[in-house]
Amino acid sequence: RSVHELDWLMLTFGTAYVYEQKETRQVVSNCHKLPESCFNRRILSVDEIVNEYTSLITSMVARNSQLKVLFTVSPIRHIRDGMHANQLSKAVLLLAIDKLKQRLNYVSYFPSYEIVMDELRDYRFYTEDMLHISPQGIEYIWEKFQSLYMTSATEAWMKRIDKINKTLLHRPTDPDSSVYQELMKKTAQERERIERELSISFS
C-alpha cells in the first residue's frame, strides 16, 4: 500500500546524534564512503526534531486525513560517546516526541523505551553484548503492544497467520511422507482462506 493510504505510521527514533556535511551543513543519511573528516557529528536539538517532523507529518496528513502516527524510542543503547551521552540523546528524543504529541492530536507514543528501562532490568532480557534486547525481552514488549493496540479479533487472526508461518518454516525429516504432504495441503488451504477473508497476500 502507498504511504498515503496508511491508517497508521509507526516511527522509531534511535539516536539524536547526526552527521552533518561540513560543506553544505546538511544532515546526511549516508556517508557515500567519504572520509569522516568531511562531516561533523552533533546532537540535534528538541526543536529541530519537532519542526522537521511537524512539517513531514502534517504534509502526509494533508494527503491522508485518516493517518495516525505512533512513535517509539528504541531501548537499544548507542554507546559510542558513552552511557551519559546515550541518555542525553534518548532524553532529546523523548522530549521531542512529547512536544509533537502536544502539537498534533493524531500523534501518540508507545513506551517501549520505558518498559525496558523500568521493567526489564534483569540480564536475561539482554543479549550477550548487554546492549540489545533478547528474544524474551522482545516478546514481553510485543505482548504489551498487543494489549494496547490490538483487538481480540486481530490477535486471533495473528495466531492463525503465525501458525501458517511456523509450519512453512519447519524443516521436515521426511518431506516426501504422506503425513507431511497432507500437512502442507491443509496449510495451503488455510492460507488461501485467510487471504480471501482478509484480502491480503502472503507473498
Side-chain angles (χ1 to χ4, degrees):
R1 296 178 68 184
S2 163
V3 68
H4 300 299
E5 298 176 307
L6 295 177
D7 297 317
W8 283 88
L9 174 66
M10 292 185 62
L11 297 172
T12 299
F13 285 163
T15 177
Y17 283 96
V18 296
Y19 284 92
E20 188 178 75
Q21 192 170 24
K22 289 181 179 178
E23 288 186 6
T24 63
R25 301 193 69 179
Q26 292 289 315
V27 173
V28 298
S29 60
N30 191 304
C31 69
H32 301 291
K33 299 185 179 179
L34 294 173
E36 191 170 347
S37 59
C38 294
F39 305 94
N40 289 319
R41 187 169 184 267
R42 68 177 182 88
I43 192 168
L44 294 169
S45 70
V46 171
D47 286 340
E48 282 181 293
I49 297 171
V50 171
N51 291 337
E52 286 292 333
Y53 276 86
T54 297
S55 176
L56 172 66
I57 294 169
T58 53
S59 67
M60 295 177 69
V61 171
R63 297 181 65 176
N64 177 6
S65 61
Q66 302 303 310
L67 181 68
K68 298 179 182 65
V69 182
L70 177 64
F71 279 98
T72 65
V73 170
S74 170
I76 297 173
R77 299 178 179 91
H78 294 256
I79 61 169
R80 169 175 175 162
D81 298 309
M83 288 297 187
H84 181 63
N86 171 72
Q87 290 297 89
L88 291 175
S89 170
K90 300 295 186 185
V92 167
L93 300 176
L94 291 166
L95 287 168
I97 293 171
D98 194 62
K99 276 197 171 184
L100 286 166
K101 280 180 58 185
Q102 293 174 33
R103 184 176 291 187
L104 305 170
N105 61 13
Y106 41 79
V107 167
S108 58
Y109 175 69
F110 174 69
S112 55
Y113 177 79
E114 290 82 354
I115 290 170
V116 172
M117 295 299 108
D118 297 336
E119 299 180 37
L120 306 186
R121 298 179 181 181
D122 194 282
Y123 290 146
R124 72 179 182 275
F125 296 116
Y126 293 86
T127 57
E128 290 182 2
D129 64 9
M130 296 305 296
L131 301 175
H132 293 81
I133 310 303
S134 70
Q136 188 175 359
I138 292 171
E139 183 64 25
Y140 184 90
I141 296 169
W142 177 239
E143 288 175 359
K144 292 279 188 178
F145 182 87
Q146 285 180 296
S147 67
L148 282 173
Y149 292 100
M150 295 185 184
T151 64
S152 57
T154 300
E155 291 187 27
W157 282 114
M158 288 180 61
K159 287 179 181 178
R160 288 176 65 185
I161 293 170
D162 187 53
K163 184 178 180 180
I164 290 174
N165 288 331
K166 286 180 178 177
T167 301
L168 294 174
L169 290 172
H170 176 68
R171 294 184 178 180
T173 53
D174 184 6
D176 296 323
S177 70
S178 59
V179 173
Y180 181 72
Q181 293 299 319
E182 181 64 22
L183 175 62
M184 287 296 98
K185 180 181 177 181
K186 289 181 178 179
T187 300
Q189 291 171 344
E190 171 69 353
R191 175 175 170 171
E192 290 173 3
R193 277 194 295 270
I194 292 176
E195 288 181 332
R196 284 196 306 271
E197 292 170 18
L198 294 181
S199 298
I200 63 170
S201 174
F202 278 76
S203 56

